[in-house]
Amino acid sequence: RHADQREAAVGEERRHAVERDDPVGAVPVPDAVVEPEDGAGEQARVALGDEPLLHAAREAFAARGYDGTTLAAIGARVGLSAAAVLRHAPTKEALFEAAMASGRGEAEPLVALFSELDPSAPARSLRRLAESWVPFFEAKLGENITRWQRGATGRKASVLRLPFDPRSGEAPPRRFLNLLEKFLIRAREAGTFRADDARAAALAFMGSMQAYVFLHRIVGLQPAIPLSRYVDTVIAIWTEGALTRGRKR
């Protein structure tokens, strides 16, 4: 009896989701979906072989939040209707949980980028880093805000948790900081970087990139400053020096 009740509840939720997101030409979705008691089967079902869908869902949820994201909007990113999305995910909640749990290893391309940087041209190298880091930081921030908001709405633990252990040496921010420090040391050895404290300089550069994300993503700075212009300004401050000693009186 309990299994029948769960099947009916899931089927009803799926029908309502299709009606909301794809009211015209919606394809009927079978109701017979039996999930384990703990709900883990929903996430597992989505997680296997659906990486493009999970990536699209993660981006959509991060940009619009849980309530502001429809199955139709997610499906549109990968050429699926809302009804088709529900063939991959039993419920919107299951898709959300699986999407938020995916994305492991997304920082690796950024880590690999350090091996391509040229210490003889630090300005060009820092610009490449900034143009890659800022979208990554913004996406991760959006994902975690959405996860926190969903947890608060669902009356779960309403603590904004980091998607990594900040004390671990493998945490992306620590890895980026260490790699950038090593790059600046190499640039100093090449005679293209003059600061004595490479670690403090690396921290200052990372901080300036995260400040851009915070002011635009959280504060909603208006008018928004294009990333390219912001990066050009930061690089100019580093390479040309925007501060002067002024005139002595």
Side-chain angles (χ1 to χ4, degrees), residues 217-241:
R217 188 71 167 79
I218 303 299
V219 177
L221 183 66
Q222 293 295 333
I225 300 175
L227 176 59
S228 58
R229 197 172 88 201
Y230 180 81
V231 172
D232 286 343
T233 301
V234 171
I235 298 298
I237 290 173
W238 276 56
T239 58
E240 300 169 15

Side-chain angles (χ1 to χ4, degrees), residues 29-46:
V29 181
D31 294 342
V33 178
V34 181
E35 304 299 337
E37 292 290 348
D38 61 2
E42 291 190 352
Q43 181 171 322
R45 176 180 169 184
V46 181

Side-chain angles (χ1 to χ4, degrees), residues 66-67 93 96 145-155:
Y66 183 87
D67 293 334
E93 176 69 23
F96 174 79
I145 289 175
T146 299
R147 187 183 290 114
W148 172 78
Q149 289 175 331
R150 180 60 181 162
T153 301
R155 296 182 180 179

